[in-house]
Amino acid sequence: MRHILRLLWPRAQVLTQRNVKRNFHASRVLFCARSTSHVLKTPSDIMDHEIEEMLAPLRVAVKEQGDIVKKLKEDKAPDIDIQKAVSELKHRKKTLEDKELELGAKDNIDRGKMEDLLKQKFFYDQSFSIYGGVNGLYDFGPMGCAVKANILQTWRNFFVLEEQMLEVDCSMLTPEPVLVASGHVERFQDYMVKDLKNGDCYRADHLIEATFEKMLTDKKVDADTKTEIRNLMPLIDGMSKEDMGKTIVKYNMKSPLTNNDLSEPMEFNLMFSTAIGPTGHIKGFLRPETAQGIFVNFKRLLNFNQGKLPFAAAQIGNAFRNEISPRSGLLRVREFTMAEIEHFCDPNQKDHPKFSNVADLDVVLYSACNQMDGKSPQVWKLGEAVKQKLIANETLGYFMGRIQMFMLKCGIDRKKLRFRQHMSNEMAHYACDCWDAECKTTYGWVECVGCADRSCYDLNQHSKATGTKLVAEKKLQEPKEVDVVECTSNKGSLGKVFKKDAKAIGEYLAALSVEDCDRIEKELSTNGESQITVGTQTFTLKSDMVTIKRYTKKVHVEEIVPSVIEPSFGVGRVMYSVFEHNFKIREGDEQRSFLSLPAIIAPYKCSVLPLSNKDSFVPFVQELSKALTFNDISHRVDDSSGSIGKRYARTDAIAIPYGVTIDFDSLNAPHTATLRERDSMKQIRAPLEEIPLIVKALSIGQRTWEDVLNNYPLFEQQEATKEK
Amino acid sequence: MRHILRLLWPRAQVLTQRNVKRNFHASRVLFCARSTSHVLKTPSDIMDHEIEEMLAPLRVAVKEQGDIVKKLKEDKAPDIDIQKAVSELKHRKKTLEDKELELGAKDNIDRGKMEDLLKQKFFYDQSFSIYGGVNGLYDFGPMGCAVKANILQTWRNFFVLEEQMLEVDCSMLTPEPVLVASGHVERFQDYMVKDLKNGDCYRADHLIEATFEKMLTDKKVDADTKTEIRNLMPLIDGMSKEDMGKTIVKYNMKSPLTNNDLSEPMEFNLMFSTAIGPTGHIKGFLRPETAQGIFVNFKRLLNFNQGKLPFAAAQIGNAFRNEISPRSGLLRVREFTMAEIEHFCDPNQKDHPKFSNVADLDVVLYSACNQMDGKSPQVWKLGEAVKQKLIANETLGYFMGRIQMFMLKCGIDRKKLRFRQHMSNEMAHYACDCWDAECKTTYGWVECVGCADRSCYDLNQHSKATGTKLVAEKKLQEPKEVDVVECTSNKGSLGKVFKKDAKAIGEYLAALSVEDCDRIEKELSTNGESQITVGTQTFTLKSDMVTIKRYTKKVHVEEIVPSVIEPSFGVGRVMYSVFEHNFKIREGDEQRSFLSLPAIIAPYKCSVLPLSNKDSFVPFVQELSKALTFNDISHRVDDSSGSIGKRYARTDAIAIPYGVTIDFDSLNAPHTATLRERDSMKQIRAPLEEIPLIVKALSIGQRTWEDVLNNYPLFEQQEATKEK
């Protein structure tokens, strides 16, 4: 499974040899052996005994292969062997996970029914469908838009307000150099092949996999070839462009719909490109993530925070990825909303002052070790997981705790939420530790939030690309003597030779690292000249142009490049998971599907239903509606002629948690009305003027429905009879 | 001045002959003569007597030219003469407005100082500036982002919640056919010229104007040429591409920076284009406005509203325009946030049930007639303006009233707000009436909100392009007999000839208009065949394929294409105007600039300032901060070591309306603290535990500062002394 968001590196690029080489470091392997002793308990819901028996052999298979990988690494075996072993490991993991999901499928909702409901009530639907639609683009209708806005508002209160984060709102259009520095221009890509006649495009790995699967069921394919294919299938994930090309040729693969010949595999960058300005010379992209906007503003943000670390910046906004063939509905789209946090801190101080607030939380962790050992996820106390160094540091742990709290608040089922640690081979090479909050859906486990310690990678990259220092100053406990190596330029001779470029060269030289100063000094003394590259141009320096000075200096502060801890939310994925986890069908009535969204997320908090269309009801409805608006309670009046039962069903379908019915008793003093709760369908009767405040308290979580039930008389009319 | 938003048609295209011809209809001209009798009063602030004397001759000049235009229209003079006269009229209007602004400049703020403040406190700043920046792209920092979010939340409550609008959230990526139908592909463009050597681009009209202005001050240019130029200048606005080309050649105009030769003027479409999907075949654009997303979802929205008219849909989101040379800071940018409302209603019922709520509002109207007559804007009661048909209908008037209320709530200065009616020659040809809410800034009058009656133009266009009916059903008072003309297709013969296209052709035929049925019937009987175009393909029908049926039928409903009333907000422009209208400098201290934003819009509602850094203050600060967070009050603790005066200045600069100071008295029971109001700098002392609720009530407008002053003892320590 690929990871979204920062998260967003396509699978094809994750398994490059370099990453595998860099990341499968011994420390994690050693660490695995220790960590197993700290299991607290296993989540009983995942670990049904009978199921576990069926999974046992698959777990063993994973463990065997995991051990092989470890061994190869310890023996420093050739990369190609390790790569093959890792691919097989991933394959076995996938088989295990598929089986687990299959065995757990009885819990699954009927996705078709849910999608019918979401479409019919216009939560969301395909964009531009009167024009035939565009794959991977969705429009949110009134209900979806309200749910999304509520999730974002909750996010803002829960993270930005609570932690006093610095929220920014940056441009989506991004000039190319920014995304060259971030690595997206080079690496944000998938491999694709084209139908040579009609130009249809396919993701190369998907096509190879699909063709192999078809061949395995084809009687005309001989047994030897089938064995060969079976051996190759686990390797598809790790195939280079060349391997894919050879495989396509060897097995004579064709375009699936037309049977036409296919092109060689080619890199396809997933960013949407455009030209900024009229000349066509400024190449730009639609941002593939919101994070870069924060990094390029680091200096301003640090300044806003009066130069102090740590601080966190946050951004909610849209990002774009030009998927080759989008599928899985809201889970894999071309335009999506992200909510990202970049927490900047001293690389040597990753503790968190509020960690104690979350230390006692139970979280389900699916560690890299457990994944390699074929084990299932385990429940940990967050504090213990950090103490045992399973989670790299307190700040990362703190955010994981907060992420879980947020997800539950939004209505995610805690039994369908886990944190899966990235294994070294899938982690971006700069990340120290990365955990995805995954939600279980009918599509399997879906990565909804990434939480990564990105070290100082991004700031360093932008600093290198621009020659701008992106550092914070840290006051030293006591001043210290430091050796300074400095390259000063002779402005006169630089200017004479390089004219208008002299200024940029001077700035470049002033910001040189010690290593670069050393190199230039050495080259000048050896060859009498040294080459430097400033921006895209290369210049040759002569000895008279620069002086390398070395001296010691007493300093009171040191410059540090902050580390970044990044929680990154895919809002559409969270939303989709919330829908699945809250889709219900009324017992005994298959037609009455509804969404039991928490009030805080529900599109409307309350419905107002007059039992009759008589004129005498109108003033009561209007008065109540006005009072609800005054209290900022979004609500919907349904005065259509349907039976009250039908109207309840309709309001349930759009997840309205509370319904006020104005009935004939309401007309008489003292005026009262009934208040119904969606999930239990229970009703109470309360004075009309108290109802807005009751609903307000319920919908912001200041009061529970149980409390209301205890304080007002139950309205006993049978819902079953009444709702027919 | 060009108009933004729907508003967004570039000037170059507005004055095409066709528009001039269609729109300068006699009715408005006749109407002018009548309307002058309904002036209620003139806004005294605009109409200073002394200034008025200086403007008088300019007003006369406009009036003279306005009369000439009217006369030419009445006489049905040649288009070219009318066009020239209109250009001269616009020129005179501009001279008048420039003079008015110049004479009113004493009220202007120091824009440089304000921009310093906004930059330094990171309200907003240029995007990607460590990479050299990109013109026309801005990032909002924590303060700007919060102001923007608050404006949008206020907008949502004020419009969407209050009117129960259907809010949607649609894709920004938009496939080409949608924008062909809307007219943007053809008409959303400016003319530009290129420097033939370095490729620099200039807007053709700007370049011609600038060159002319330079020539007029050039001693080497002879008097005759100068006269010629003076005669030409008013015509620049109305020049065709060819006229511009000829002008550039005739006066030997060169590229301004390099003096290189220039290209011919060329059309430059202002939309950012990109390719959707990997094939490169699906051409797409970044939407130039959010409105189209609503129109293409009309059917779903109508369905959601249970088929009933009227209803309004709303959308907040980003839109993009690839300006040739962006300038004027936030006012002319390449990426911007819009908030648009599309109110769909029966074209014959444009009254509004809540109009009485706004009928008594005073609004400053700058009618098309007043503009033509050289008169100044006038104050009207909204009800009177609608009654007199100065404003086309109640719904348009209702929204104008609501727009004004919203703008004032956001902090717009009512003396710097007016509604300017589009003159017929600048109105899109489908609009019935259009008023821009304009704010006066140091850049002149800026269009911030457009409010247009767009009739049924958009729905018709999308309906034509897709063959999808975009209509609502209206119940007839009593059933009526109608003549039906229907084209039924013979599926067999269609299928035989057109194969896979037969289905689309069948659907196309079923949706034909009466006129098209008539045409096809005629052609078939005359030629035995008839051609139709479905999508991009043309097909030839034969007589055996279709039958044209005619009959009468009794109908109970009629289908109507709804009219659309569209209030369209440029959020960045509103924000910028709010900044200008609230930028202040403390009397007697030029260094202390601040923003007196209303609390509802201010980025933080409250500051918390401990008078000392002593440990004993810490629990009070923490307790207060926690209580504020619990009450959802965004606040900032400033415990830096600066003097209290400096810290007040700092919190004023970021517009924090209320400040709580924990002083030495706070430490003793009963614990109290001081509460300071930003604009008056007055302070009261109140019990610490009451303070969060006081601030809450103040910041949501439930309580006024005067009321607080009356209920708590004034804290008398002189601010002047204290704040040093």
Side-chain angles (χ1 to χ4, degrees), chain A residues 126-127 129 131 139-140 142 148 167 169-173 181 273-274 277 297 300 304 322 335 462 636, chain B residues 126-129 131 139-140 142 148 167 169-173 181 273-274 277 297 300 304 322 335 462 636:
Chain A
Q126 195 181 30
S127 301
S129 54
Y131 282 86
D139 289 345
F140 293 98
K148 186 176 163 187
E167 188 179 347
D169 179 10
C170 305
S171 296
M172 299 177 198
L173 287 164
S273 71
T274 192
N297 277 306
R300 291 169 179 160
F304 185 86
N322 198 3
E335 184 176 333
H462 289 299
R636 196 173 196 211
Chain B
Q126 195 181 31
S127 302
F128 312 110
S129 54
Y131 282 86
D139 288 346
F140 292 98
K148 186 176 161 186
E167 189 180 346
D169 179 11
C170 306
S171 296
M172 297 177 198
L173 287 165
S273 70
T274 192
N297 278 305
R300 292 168 178 161
F304 185 84
N322 199 2
E335 184 178 332
H462 290 299
R636 196 172 195 208

Side-chain angles (χ1 to χ4, degrees), chain A residues 535-606:
Chain A
T536 55
Q537 284 182 282
T538 301
F539 301 96
T540 305
L541 297 176
K542 305 278 173 162
S543 301
D544 65 324
M545 295 176 184
V546 297
T547 316
I548 307 287
K549 286 185 192 158
R550 289 164 194 281
Y551 56 94
T552 61
K553 165 167 107 164
K554 187 177 251 181
V555 292
H556 300 264
V557 292
E558 63 175 340
E559 286 181 344
I560 51 171
V561 183
S563 266
V564 173
I565 314 278
E566 179 193 74
S568 168
F569 295 70
V571 177
R573 291 184 167 202
V574 173
M575 227 172 127
Y576 180 81
S577 305
V578 168
F579 287 145
E580 272 213 9
H581 293 189
N582 292 281
F583 178 72
K584 304 268 167 66
I585 291 175
R586 232 14 120 194
E587 237 184 284
D589 188 350
E590 282 295 298
Q591 297 311 308
R592 283 185 62 178
S593 58
F594 70 105
L595 290 163
S596 66
L597 301 181
I600 199 172
I601 296 305
Y604 294 111
K605 309 305 172 208
C606 178

Side-chain angles (χ1 to χ4, degrees), chain A residues 4-5 7 151 154-155 158-159 331 339 361 363 399-419 435-441 445-451 567-579 581-582 597-598 600-601:
Chain A
I4 46 150
L5 317 178
L7 305 183
I151 289 180
T154 305
W155 191 88
F158 194 83
F159 291 101
L331 298 180
L361 278 188
V363 288
F399 280 115
M400 286 168 67
R402 294 288 294 171
I403 289 167
Q404 170 160 312
M405 289 163 73
F406 171 76
M407 298 290 268
L408 299 184
K409 205 175 170 105
C410 288
I412 289 295
D413 181 348
R414 69 179 307 143
K415 293 181 207 147
K416 295 182 173 181
L417 175 66
R418 72 180 187 192
F419 288 92
W435 292 82
D436 287 343
E438 295 185 331
C439 294
K440 195 178 170 195
T441 72
W445 286 93
V446 172
E447 316 90 275
C448 290
V449 189
C451 191
S568 168
F569 295 70
V571 177
R573 291 184 167 202
V574 173
M575 227 172 127
Y576 180 81
S577 305
V578 168
F579 287 145
H581 293 189
N582 292 281
L597 301 181
I600 199 172
I601 296 305

Side-chain angles (χ1 to χ4, degrees), chain A residues 232-446:
Chain A
L232 274 173
M233 281 193 75
L235 304 182
I236 297 172
D237 262 8
M239 280 185 180
S240 68
K241 188 170 86 168
E242 291 68 31
D243 289 344
M244 290 190 183
K246 282 183 199 153
T247 309
I248 287 168
V249 171
K250 183 171 174 192
Y251 295 93
N252 196 27
M253 295 183 179
K254 301 291 181 185
S255 182
L257 297 180
T258 62
N259 222 31
N260 293 332
D261 285 337
L262 291 167
S263 72
E264 288 277 294
M266 50 188 108
E267 285 96 358
F268 177 70
N269 192 295
L270 296 175
M271 291 191 292
F272 287 96
S273 71
T274 192
I276 303 175
T279 62
H281 300 157
I282 308 180
K283 190 171 177 180
F285 297 97
L286 294 176
R287 65 181 175 196
E289 58 178 15
T290 64
Q292 301 306 324
I294 296 178
F295 298 133
V296 299
N297 277 306
F298 171 74
K299 271 175 75 174
R300 291 169 179 160
L301 291 167
L302 179 69
N303 184 39
F304 185 86
N305 204 47
Q306 300 172 321
K308 283 187 279 190
L309 285 185
F311 70 89
Q315 180 166 209
I316 295 171
N318 278 29
F320 302 82
R321 57 184 294 166
N322 198 3
E323 290 285 349
I324 293 174
S325 45
R327 43 188 189 184
S328 318
L330 275 196
L331 298 180
R332 177 80 27 105
V333 292
R334 286 174 166 153
E335 184 176 333
F336 48 93
T337 301
M338 301 178 81
E340 296 195 292
I341 294 164
E342 312 294 331
H343 176 93
F344 297 96
C345 61
D346 184 335
N348 299 313
Q349 278 182 288
K350 293 187 178 174
D351 53 326
H352 196 286
K354 289 161 86 178
F355 183 71
S356 61
N357 295 355
V358 299
D360 281 339
L361 278 188
D362 284 332
V363 288
V364 176
L365 299 182
Y366 193 21
S367 70
C369 296
N370 280 22
Q371 292 169 65
M372 282 188 87
D373 290 345
K375 292 195 179 143
S376 55
Q378 289 159 333
V379 179
W380 286 74
K381 290 268 177 226
L382 251 182
E384 192 61 22
V386 169
K387 200 170 157 198
Q388 301 294 343
K389 298 242 170 272
L390 178 58
I391 293 169
N393 56 63
E394 274 192 3
T395 301
L396 197 62
Y398 177 70
F399 280 115
M400 286 168 67
R402 294 288 294 171
I403 289 167
Q404 170 160 312
M405 289 163 73
F406 171 76
M407 298 290 268
L408 299 184
K409 205 175 170 105
C410 288
I412 289 295
D413 181 348
R414 69 179 307 143
K415 293 181 207 147
K416 295 182 173 181
L417 175 66
R418 72 180 187 192
F419 288 92
R420 191 181 70 79
Q421 190 175 33
H422 281 211
M423 305 215 293
S424 321
N425 57 329
E426 59 182 329
M427 192 144 52
H429 60 274
Y430 44 78
C432 312
D433 193 9
C434 182
W435 292 82
D436 287 343
E438 295 185 331
C439 294
K440 195 178 170 195
T441 72
T442 53
Y443 290 103
W445 286 93
V446 172

